[in-house]
Amino acid sequence: MENFNYYTPTEVVFGRGTEKQVGELVKAQKCSKVLVHYGSGSVKKSGLLDRVFRSLDEAGISYLSLGGVVPNPRLSLVYEGISLCKSEDVDFILAVGGGSVIDSAKAIGYGVSNEGDVWDFYEKKRQASGCLSIGVVLTISAAGSEMSDSSVITNEKGWLKRGYSSNYARAKFAVMNPELTMTLPKYQTASGCVDIMMHTMERYFNQCDNMELTDGISEHLIRTVMKNAKILMEEPYNYDARAEVMWAGSLSHNGLTGCGTDGGDWACHQLEHELGGMFDVAHGAGLAAVWGSWARYVMDACPERFARFAVNVMGVADGADETETALKGIEAMEAFYRAVEMPVCIKDLGIEPTVEQLRELAEKCSHLRKRTVGCVKKLDVDDMYQIYKNALEFG
Ligand code: NZQ
Ligand code: ZN
């Protein structure tokens, strides 16, 4: 087992009606002015935003709001948020929404607490030395940003989607009421479930052994999400299924499923981020579209891990050898994606990149040939292109 730090400072307030506590939770942060940050309208339509405002009013909190965050959140709105926070002396940001809203809030927080251009952090040109405090009211189980150290932003100049991670941006608290996710469209529910599973799978596929407890937690988490994702396709108002998925979403990306590993692979996330940046696809759906192609491409580097995954997670019977078992596991995962109406190839996303665009995706993912991604197998620009190409259509 590798050495590790496990740091999860976020207070989780979980269950029915918990959004009523948000005013008191913010008050406990001893801030003087709050920016309530939200997305493109779902929280207005559901009435959640009004309930949050009421709770803040009751706690005597002074606040202003900024909506308009879109999936694959944009840098231009981050800049707007930074100016607003500076001119209004905001000292706390309350994100009411999903990963996109939370990530935008984190980016605004970096921009307020650090001089210079916030995009520098996402380009890895320098490190942040702080971030405004963030609180979360979560409305979709997916990205895990409510407990993660990450933030992913899309720069409209060049449509580059880049992530930045630091413990400064960890939320002070996360209000998680599974009922709030019942208004999600089926596609977003399924896409979120894939993302949750992938946060664990990215860590699970690595070059380590001897992680009995971490492997066991990971395998059970993925199975739990698969089971409840299928239930939610038929019963979107099933509270227990919503709750299982919501809790799995946070545990999947707060570091727990990576304890003792080498950090994991993460190639699929890097490959998907370019798809999201260039084609604005839903993150989880984009992951499902490239996973099968990635898995077949790298499987030979670590067949025993893929075979273990096939048996322990996908429940397939042992094949004649590890490679056969591994392949059966990949096919079973693709069958699951189909069962929850998720893509198994890029064309299933409703887009058809040209060969030039596939090359551009690979160039961007390799940061213009300056980096490789993945640890199961280190992937360079040619590998990336091949994986995108194989992922274009199924079979
Ligand atoms: O904007 P609104 O109107 O709220 O609509 C959203 C959006 O269209 C809608 N939605 C959210 N809650 C809803 C709802 N609709 C009805 N009822 C509700 N209760 O769902 C759509 C997707 O929302 P979004 O926040 O984009 O989803 P998600 O949480 O999947 O976040 C995706 C973003 O997070 C990044 C992704 O790359 C992507 O940009 N990630 C962030 C990570 C992190 N910070 O740790 C890790 C992840 O790997 C991921 O990369
Ligand atoms: Zn993700």
Side-chain angles (χ1 to χ4, degrees), residues 317-374:
D318 275 323
D321 56 29
E322 281 175 338
T323 302
E324 192 183 308
T325 311
L327 269 174
K328 286 207 269 177
I330 294 168
E331 284 160 11
M333 181 52 83
E334 287 166 333
F336 166 77
Y337 290 154
R338 284 203 182 90
V340 295
E341 298 171 31
M342 279 286 104
V344 290
C345 65
I346 291 176
K347 278 190 183 168
D348 286 351
L349 289 165
I351 56 173
E352 205 168 324
T354 59
V355 169
E356 290 71 35
Q357 285 174 319
L358 294 177
R359 282 261 170 235
E360 187 180 343
L361 285 166
E363 289 289 335
K364 283 179 164 172
C365 190
S366 66
H367 292 180
L368 304 178
R369 303 174 179 234
K370 287 197 194 91
R371 69 161 185 175
T372 59
V373 299

Side-chain angles (χ1 to χ4, degrees), residues 293-315:
S293 170
W294 167 84
R296 287 187 178 82
Y297 196 82
V298 305
M299 186 187 84
D300 290 346
C302 188
E304 64 288 349
R305 196 94 193 126
F306 277 88
R308 178 182 166 131
F309 177 80
V311 174
N312 290 3
V313 179
M314 303 313 298

Side-chain angles (χ1 to χ4, degrees), residues 195 199 269 283 287:
D195 193 20
H199 292 153
H269 264 73
H283 172 61
L287 290 169

Side-chain angles (χ1 to χ4, degrees), residues 51-69:
R51 297 209 296 285
V52 167
F53 288 159
R54 203 175 311 135
S55 179
L56 293 174
D57 287 335
E58 282 165 10
I61 308 285
S62 167
Y63 60 87
L64 58 145
S65 64
L66 177 65
V69 180

Side-chain angles (χ1 to χ4, degrees), residues 38-44 46 48 68-73 96-103 106 138-154 161 164-165 179-185 188 191-192 195 199 253 266 269 272-273 276 281-284 287:
Y38 61 94
S40 305
S42 74
V43 295
K44 279 190 174 171
S46 67
L48 173 64
V69 180
V70 293
N72 299 313
V96 184
S100 295
V101 174
I102 305 167
D103 287 3
K106 289 175 176 176
L138 189 65
T139 64
I140 170 171
S141 313
S145 186
E146 66 279 5
M147 284 186 91
S148 84
D149 62 355
S150 311
S151 156
V152 188
I153 298 295
T154 296
K161 189 172 173 183
Y164 180 64
S165 303
E179 289 173 323
L180 299 180
T181 65
M182 289 177 182
T183 50
L184 279 168
Q188 290 295 343
S191 176
D195 193 20
H199 292 153
H253 204 31
W266 296 102
H269 264 73
E272 192 289 326
H273 281 173
V281 299
H283 172 61
L287 290 169

